[in-house]
Amino acid sequence: MSKEMKKFVALVGTNTKDATNRKLLQFMKQHFAGQADIELMEITGLPMFDKPQDMHVPDRAQAMAKEIDAADGVIISTPEYDHAVPAILMNAIEWLSFGIHPFADKPVMIIGASFGSLGTSRAQEHLRQMMDAPEVHARIMPSSEYLVGQSLKIFDDEGKLNDTEKVAQLEALFADFQQFVNISKELWHSTQVDKELLDNRNNIKA
């Protein structure tokens, strides 16, 4: 792998088998293989979040956090259920912002695929609000909404997007995301302060 090639973690925002959001991330992994190392991360295997009194974070969440920490950025692909993200994705983010803060100042790109014609606009807005929460504190790429509607029809038998306009849009947004990651690295002055503030909040939690 080239020294200049960035490493991204791609969170599959659902546990649904044969999910089109997983297919979208798999397509990105293959399509951008010459530009970046994209590794898919499933969000299964976590218990239902129930704030533990002993502040214990499950091993699975700690392992996920370690991979996110080591990545240059994160891509999250979410479906839309009742104008919101799936409960399993909310659960994962809750664990990944409880005592650990891998998303703090981490560049994040949000995308999504949906069976319907409207895509995942409201779910993406919901996810942006979550990722911007004080305990998460991600750096979310602005003006980057990527909506894949009618997702059952948009992938061919080989898992490739068969809509050339959607592919071109994704290529442009991914190029912007890589530049956003570069810019974010220049904002290092606040990163250490932000993480110290998050750690202090953990120490005073009831």
Side-chain angles (χ1 to χ4, degrees):
M1 185 174 65
S2 168
K3 291 181 180 179
E4 300 299 323
M5 191 175 288
K6 295 179 178 63
K7 179 176 177 60
F8 298 130
V9 167
L11 259 66
V12 181
T14 176
N15 62 341
T16 301
K17 185 179 179 182
D18 299 325
T20 53
N21 281 277
R22 185 180 292 104
K23 289 182 180 180
L24 178 56
L25 292 174
Q26 288 170 337
F27 170 76
M28 290 184 68
K29 176 181 174 67
Q30 180 180 13
H31 190 71
F32 298 117
Q35 300 181 36
D37 177 15
I38 300 175
E39 291 300 324
L40 271 64
M41 177 182 287
E42 300 291 341
I43 54 175
T44 54
L46 291 167
M48 184 66 68
F49 184 80
D50 183 8
K51 183 178 177 181
Q53 293 301 313
D54 61 1
M55 296 291 291
H56 175 70
V57 179
D59 291 344
R60 170 65 176 149
Q62 293 188 47
M64 292 169 69
K66 186 176 180 181
E67 289 189 48
I68 293 170
D69 272 330
D72 294 298
V74 176
I75 305 165
I76 307 177
S77 188
T78 180
E80 182 169 315
Y81 298 158
D82 299 328
H83 293 173
V85 303
I88 190 171
L89 179 54
M90 286 189 279
N91 187 63
I93 294 171
E94 285 166 349
W95 276 121
L96 291 169
S97 58
F98 178 75
I100 52 177
H101 303 283
F103 290 115
D105 293 322
K106 184 72 64 175
V108 173
M109 177 181 181
I110 296 174
I111 60 176
S114 170
F115 293 173
S117 59
L118 298 179
T120 61
S121 178
R122 291 178 178 175
Q124 289 191 38
E125 180 61 27
H126 180 212
L127 184 55
R128 282 177 179 274
Q129 292 177 345
M130 294 177 64
M131 299 306 291
D132 196 39
E135 295 296 330
V136 184
H137 210 281
R139 282 200 177 121
I140 310 151
M141 182 178 168
S143 304
S144 60
E145 196 172 58
Y146 182 71
L147 310 173
V148 177
Q150 303 290 342
S151 60
L152 288 176
K153 302 176 182 179
I154 205 167
F155 293 97
D156 63 21
D157 293 339
E158 296 179 351
K160 297 180 180 179
L161 281 174
N162 55 28
D163 185 322
T164 55
E165 290 184 358
K166 281 294 179 187
V167 172
Q169 183 187 8
L170 185 60
E171 288 173 344
L173 286 172
F174 189 68
D176 284 349
F177 182 56
Q178 294 197 71
Q179 187 62 33
F180 180 67
V181 171
N182 291 335
I183 293 170
S184 294
K185 288 181 179 179
E186 299 299 319
L187 305 177
W188 59 270
H189 297 85
S190 63
T191 300
Q192 187 60 40
V193 174
D194 291 338
K195 291 191 175 182
E196 287 176 0
L197 287 172
L198 288 169
D199 289 340
N200 288 338
R201 284 188 195 135
N202 292 335
N203 293 333
I204 63 174
K205 278 185 177 180

